Amino acid sequence: MVDDIPIQAGELLPLLAKYRLLPKLKQELIIDQAIADIHLTAAQQEQAQQQFLAKYQISEPEAQQAYLNYYGLTGDQLVEIADREARIEIYKQQTWGHKLESIFLTQRSQLDIVTYSLIRTNSAEVVQELYFRIKDGEQSFTEVASTYSEGPEAQTGGLLGPTPLHNLHPSIAQHLLIAKPGQIQPPISIDKWYILLRLEQKQAAVLDDVMRQSLLGQLFQQWLEQQLRMQPSPD
């Protein structure tokens, strides 16, 4: 029974499949297997619970009860979930923590943070005209983007970011990687679009705590996706 909806035990897996939740279930089972041998001390458990409550902004009793009601949890289950999140973080650190420096050095250029401006149109002729209009100083990049760009960036005068280079389309990232700030790039073609780019600012990536957590998260997700691909397909 879920709220007032009756569900028989035999219906659960078909329902998970129907609502495309089986991969999520498989993912969580794979994680449980991976962290099975990781155990927290009493101090670690207390810290895990405090961090969990702070993360989800449910430190106050009323907020905590609302969270339990929404997800159909008991207080004991909430403690188990908080412990599990902490054990996952320990697993990430144990598995990939010693590799982070070398991975960071290998990927460093793609981890740089960029702020850039973009104009896109589906016309090669239009993009050439706009390029020369900006290059010759007839109009600013911002004015042209606001008027002619055919994507949501028109609302910001073409300005996008800051964002890591690796989050961008490979062609855009490659052009921004070698661009000089303030210089408009000649038009490039990507899929159905003709694009103008200008690098505004580049911030070199640093292996600080935020970057370490980001890299650990990426490595964990890659591992998890690989494990899911290795799972046998249903008959």
Side-chain angles (χ1 to χ4, degrees):
M1 180 80 70
V2 176
D3 291 334
D4 295 327
I5 304 172
I7 298 177
Q8 302 299 321
E11 297 176 325
L12 187 56
L13 282 178
L15 283 174
L16 289 172
K18 176 182 178 180
Y19 300 125
R20 295 175 292 177
L21 294 173
L22 272 180
K24 178 63 175 174
L25 176 61
K26 291 178 183 179
Q27 170 181 301
E28 300 304 328
L29 292 173
I30 290 169
I31 293 173
D32 280 345
Q33 289 179 334
I35 66 174
D37 294 330
I38 298 175
H39 304 284
L40 303 183
T41 65
Q44 287 175 318
Q45 287 180 326
E46 178 64 26
Q47 183 181 26
Q49 291 162 32
Q50 294 303 319
Q51 289 177 340
F52 184 90
L53 296 178
K55 177 180 177 181
Y56 295 99
Q57 300 180 343
I58 53 172
S59 297
E60 297 298 325
E62 296 83 0
Q64 193 174 134
Q65 189 58 54
Y67 187 93
L68 293 176
N69 292 342
Y70 183 82
Y71 289 102
L73 299 170
T74 65
D76 288 342
Q77 288 173 323
L78 189 67
V79 170
E80 291 175 4
I81 292 170
D83 287 2
R84 185 174 185 266
E85 286 202 2
R87 291 161 62 210
I88 291 172
E89 293 304 315
I90 292 172
Y91 177 79
K92 292 178 186 177
Q93 188 63 44
Q94 289 179 347
T95 308
W96 299 286
H98 62 288
K99 302 178 181 179
L100 288 184
E101 288 191 12
S102 61
I103 291 172
F104 174 76
L105 291 174
T106 301
Q107 301 182 6
R108 188 170 188 170
S109 63
Q110 291 298 315
L111 297 171
D112 287 347
I113 307 296
V114 294
T115 301
Y116 65 104
S117 293
L118 177 146
I119 296 169
R120 72 179 107 184
T121 174
N122 57 16
S123 168
E125 292 77 13
V126 169
V127 81
Q128 283 289 346
E129 179 185 344
L130 297 178
Y131 170 68
F132 287 113
R133 191 179 298 182
I134 296 169
K135 192 172 177 61
D136 294 341
E138 296 178 21
Q139 279 187 287
S140 70
F141 199 109
T142 301
E143 291 172 336
V144 171
S146 297
T147 304
Y148 296 100
S149 196
E150 298 177 28
E153 66 282 344
Q155 303 301 314
T156 60
L159 189 64
L160 296 170
T163 187
L165 277 169
H166 68 78
N167 284 351
L168 302 177
H169 188 285
S171 293
I172 291 177
Q174 186 60 37
H175 280 81
L176 293 176
L177 184 63
I178 60 175
K180 295 180 180 179
Q183 243 182 28
I184 185 172
Q185 302 290 301
I188 60 174
S189 175
I190 300 177
D191 300 328
K192 67 175 183 177
W193 298 109
Y194 297 94
I195 290 175
L196 295 177
L197 287 173
R198 185 176 70 187
L199 175 66
E200 305 297 344
Q201 186 179 31
K202 183 186 295 182
Q203 179 181 345
V206 178
L207 189 57
D208 55 12
D209 288 343
V210 173
M211 180 61 71
R212 287 179 181 275
Q213 288 303 311
S214 176
L215 287 175
L216 284 174
Q218 291 174 33
L219 292 165
F220 179 71
Q221 193 59 41
Q222 290 168 7
W223 166 81
L224 195 51
E225 290 170 1
Q226 182 182 33
Q227 296 301 307
L228 283 170
R229 288 195 296 269
M230 293 168 59
Q231 293 292 307
S233 301
D235 294 334

